[in-house]
Amino acid sequence: MAAAIVALVGLVVAPVPLAAAEGDGQCTQVVDPITNEVKWVCENGGGDPGGGGQNPGGGSSTCTYAGSEIPCSLGGGQWSSKNACYVIPTPVSPQPAPPPGQTDQDGDWHNCIQPAGYLGSNQPVWVEAGETLIDPAVLAQRAIASMNLDPITIGIVPEPGPDRVGLVGLPVWMWVEDQAPNTYGPITASASQGPVSVTATAKVSSIVWDMGDGTKKTCTGPGTPYEDRYGKQDSPTCGHRYEQMSDDQPDDAYQVTATSHWVVEWSGGGQSGTIEFDITTEPLPIRIGEAQVLTQ
């Protein structure tokens, strides 16, 4: 991965020794001469994208900090939500004095790298003997990445297509076509590293349908597939009615999208949590016209 460097005017960059695993990237400390705030700037040595091994790459596995996505590993360190930094596995050498009430046998000090782009303290953190440096929340993200989650396939009447036209005022039915574990759930996957294993189960809790006419419909189920026998009935679970033709829209069609809201429950490593996110389909064009009345 390219060097994670943030250009900051007026900062002094000075090399600082950092204990890192062999083959990992090199890190440099950036010090603000006015505020004395510091951060680490690192080059990642790569690894196995998506997880696995002792030095997993970023891949599709991401973690969250201050509302933004960050890599789950950087500069040889693993992200620790407990410490809000990347903990380097190799202890600091030489070791500073242990914290009050602790002895040299109770744990070790480890360097901790701030996420790229964030200024803050890079003081070493105390890791107790036997405490794993593997963050279960990171493994939960890896488990999610392995699910290969996709948007739903839209089922809708009137159907899309240049020779298909729905009518103003008639019911529109929306549903999940070809419902599958990786498009609607539930789906379960696990991720492990060292002694820690995490299991995550994901499922869609709701779908927001953007009908392209300024209307959004939230449906809490997969919807009901339309059948000819339903005639002009409204969908009992997920429907809409267009009030105007689509001839003033791009390509004379309303662009319909469906956004699935996923909820993931995970547990392992003595922790548990919930992760939520959205996946949106590509726009689907639906043409709406008016019935023509013939007179003689």
Side-chain angles (χ1 to χ4, degrees), residues 90-239:
T90 306
V92 172
S93 180
Q95 281 278 301
Q102 302 283 336
T103 69
D104 292 337
Q105 286 70 43
D106 294 330
D108 294 291
W109 291 101
H110 292 250
N111 277 315
C112 216
I113 307 170
Q114 282 287 306
Y118 294 90
L119 293 175
S121 173
N122 286 286
Q123 298 298 320
V125 296
W126 179 258
V127 178
E128 294 183 359
E131 178 183 348
T132 178
L133 295 179
I134 302 166
D135 192 338
V138 173
L139 295 183
Q141 293 285 359
R142 292 182 187 169
I144 295 171
S146 73
M147 295 176 184
N148 296 316
L149 302 179
D150 287 326
I152 68 164
T153 298
I154 291 178
I156 190 168
V157 166
E159 298 173 346
D163 58 344
R164 303 285 185 176
V165 179
L167 297 179
V168 170
L170 289 185
V172 177
W173 290 48
M174 300 94 74
W175 67 92
V176 178
E177 186 73 43
D178 298 327
Q179 188 174 327
N182 72 321
T183 60
Y184 195 78
I187 182 172
T188 299
S190 298
S192 300
Q193 185 171 340
V196 181
S197 180
V198 167
T199 298
T201 298
K203 60 182 179 181
V204 172
S205 66
S206 63
I207 298 177
V208 177
W209 296 82
D210 188 330
M211 305 308 297
D213 62 348
T215 302
K216 292 185 178 181
K217 297 283 186 176
T218 299
C219 301
T220 56
T224 304
Y226 180 80
E227 298 179 13
D228 291 340
R229 63 188 176 91
Y230 295 138
K232 297 180 181 179
Q233 298 179 37
D234 286 319
S235 169
T237 53
C238 192

Side-chain angles (χ1 to χ4, degrees), residues 156-173 232 240-247 252-254 285-292:
I156 190 168
V157 166
E159 298 173 346
D163 58 344
R164 303 285 185 176
V165 179
L167 297 179
V168 170
L170 289 185
V172 177
W173 290 48
K232 297 180 181 179
H240 179 57
R241 287 178 184 261
Y242 286 106
E243 298 180 355
Q244 296 182 351
M245 295 191 299
S246 60
D247 56 351
D252 298 325
Y254 290 116
I286 299 296
R287 291 171 174 79
I288 301 295
E290 287 184 341
Q292 301 294 319

